Amino acid sequence: MLNRLGIIMLSVWIAALLLALPSAAFAHERRMVEGFQFVVGWTGEPAYLGQPNGVDFGVSVPPPNSRDEPKPVEGLEKTVKVEVIFGAERRTFDLEPQFRRPGRYSADIVPTRTGDYRFRFFGTINGKNVDVTFDSADGKFDGVESTASVQFPQRLPDPVEASGQLADAKRLSTYALVAGLAGLLIGLVAYARSGRRAA
């Protein structure tokens, strides 16, 4: 039988395990903003390059008593928008309420570059102005990964790399076409001159 110390140690170990599991399986950042609890991440994790995904956004009011459940804040699809930022690129999306998940919203997106993304939420919540940015570079939610590690049985080319190769091929074919036309023009001029000399 376990003695009292053994039971305490086992309880601590189980509690630590339970606390660790959600963060590993649900890599979202939680932050207090203007008295509201924000939960931010991707709708699908890990987030893979070129795969349909979305911004996952939850808002609730913390209860005065820690034993009570947080109160979800609804109707924010009318008052809050999200700006998705990658490097110098940025685009604003409307938020849509998630089915049967009060206080949860999403904006569909297909990420086309690997790396860190920023989500900026701006608007009003219950009359309070909010303008706050969450950055995957902080490590509290994931950036976008290449699909190479999960591809099977054959690895596909990286779409960004493939588009760059296609652009290079188009550029080379344009150069070749211009060079060919220039050679043809030079040949025609030389032929015309030789004909005049013969005449």
Side-chain angles (χ1 to χ4, degrees):
M1 286 187 64
L2 290 171
N3 59 24
R4 183 176 295 177
L5 179 60
I7 292 172
I8 292 171
M9 294 299 292
L10 181 61
S11 300
V12 169
W13 183 82
I14 290 172
L17 181 64
L18 290 174
L19 286 171
L21 284 175
S23 61
F26 196 64
H28 280 42
E29 181 175 349
R30 288 163 172 77
R31 191 190 304 174
M32 292 300 296
V33 178
E34 296 291 340
F36 302 99
Q37 167 119 343
F38 280 25
V39 180
V40 173
W42 295 97
T43 54
E45 293 172 333
Y48 285 119
L49 177 70
Q51 301 301 308
N53 211 312
V55 177
D56 189 26
F57 179 50
V59 182
S60 61
V61 178
N65 189 328
S66 60
R67 289 174 293 185
D68 296 333
E69 291 292 319
K71 182 182 178 183
V73 181
E74 300 185 66
L76 297 187
E77 70 276 10
K78 300 171 186 174
T79 63
V80 178
K81 293 185 182 295
V82 59
E83 183 179 45
V84 179
I85 305 165
F86 182 88
E89 302 293 326
R90 54 183 65 215
R91 179 178 167 186
T92 299
F93 293 83
D94 291 329
L95 291 164
E96 297 294 334
Q98 296 182 16
F99 183 63
R100 291 187 177 177
R101 298 186 76 193
R104 299 303 290 256
Y105 307 85
S106 58
D108 294 337
I109 178 175
V110 178
T112 56
R113 297 290 299 274
T114 57
D116 288 310
Y117 284 67
R118 287 179 287 156
F119 301 151
R120 173 182 167 244
F121 300 93
F122 62 95
T124 60
I125 300 177
N126 293 353
K128 292 184 177 180
N129 291 325
V130 294
D131 190 338
V132 60
T133 300
F134 290 73
D135 193 337
S136 68
D138 295 338
K140 295 179 181 175
F141 70 98
D142 296 331
V144 173
E145 304 175 20
S146 168
T147 58
S149 63
V150 294
Q151 290 177 5
F152 179 83
Q154 184 176 358
R155 183 173 173 178
L156 300 173
D158 183 288
V160 175
E161 186 179 311
S163 66
Q165 290 173 350
L166 180 61
D168 289 343
K170 285 182 177 178
R171 207 165 23 250
L172 286 173
S173 64
T174 301
Y175 294 156
L177 179 62
V178 170
L181 288 173
L184 179 61
L185 183 60
I186 291 169
L188 288 172
V189 169
Y191 178 75
R193 285 180 178 173
S194 65
R196 282 199 297 272
R197 285 173 187 163

